[in-house]
Amino acid sequence: QVRLTESGGGLVQAGDSLRLSCTTSGLVFPFYHMGWFRQAPGNEREFVAQISSTDGTQYYADSAKGRFTISRDDTKWVVYLQMNSLKPDDTAVYYCTAQVRGSSNYTHWGQGTQVTVSS
């Protein structure tokens, strides 16, 4: 059974940093592109960042560029999202997701971790 488990969320002030982690089990992690999405109340789920399983190439939403960094540890099967200079608009539930190589869809999702940024 595939399981993605996010952690590291919390309540912070604007300008602070957080690092989210996503531990995985039940999948062959090195063969999966890993991503982060987020969903704020009343909004649709939106893409935040992705990291390739083949060469580590990173992709970011415009809102994340320059502030967020996605990384992966293929020895621990964990993906991270370092978030700096947080803004109230970053408040959302953050979801970890996995996409197997060759697929165009994210097939596995975590339960999410809440990030709240106060002004």
Side-chain angles (χ1 to χ4, degrees):
Q1 180 181 0
V2 175
R3 181 168 294 178
L4 308 180
T5 305
E6 303 94 337
S7 62
L11 172 62
V12 297
Q13 293 187 330
D16 286 350
S17 299
L18 278 176
R19 188 176 81 155
L20 306 183
S21 300
C22 173
T23 58
T24 70
S25 62
L27 52 72
V28 183
F29 184 82
F31 289 95
Y32 281 78
H33 309 307
M34 299 300 297
W36 289 93
F37 280 68
R38 68 186 183 185
Q39 186 168 20
N43 291 354
E44 294 187 354
R45 192 171 296 189
E46 64 177 11
F47 170 78
V48 176
Q50 183 189 29
I51 185 165
S52 169
S53 68
T54 52
D55 60 6
T57 300
Q58 302 156 32
Y59 305 90
Y60 295 96
D62 287 344
S63 59
K65 288 178 182 176
R67 299 187 301 127
F68 294 2
T69 303
I70 188 171
S71 60
R72 61 189 294 154
D73 187 331
D74 283 5
T75 64
K76 297 180 180 178
W77 291 17
V78 179
V79 61
Y80 304 98
L81 185 68
Q82 176 68 42
M83 304 187 295
N84 299 328
S85 303
L86 283 162
K87 306 174 182 179
D89 284 349
D90 295 317
T91 295
V93 177
Y94 284 71
Y95 297 91
C96 173
T97 185
Q99 179 187 52
V100 70
R101 289 180 187 175
S103 171
S104 59
N105 298 316
Y106 289 99
T107 53
H108 305 292
W109 295 82
Q111 293 299 307
T113 185
Q114 176 71 47
V115 171
T116 303
V117 185
S118 64
S119 57

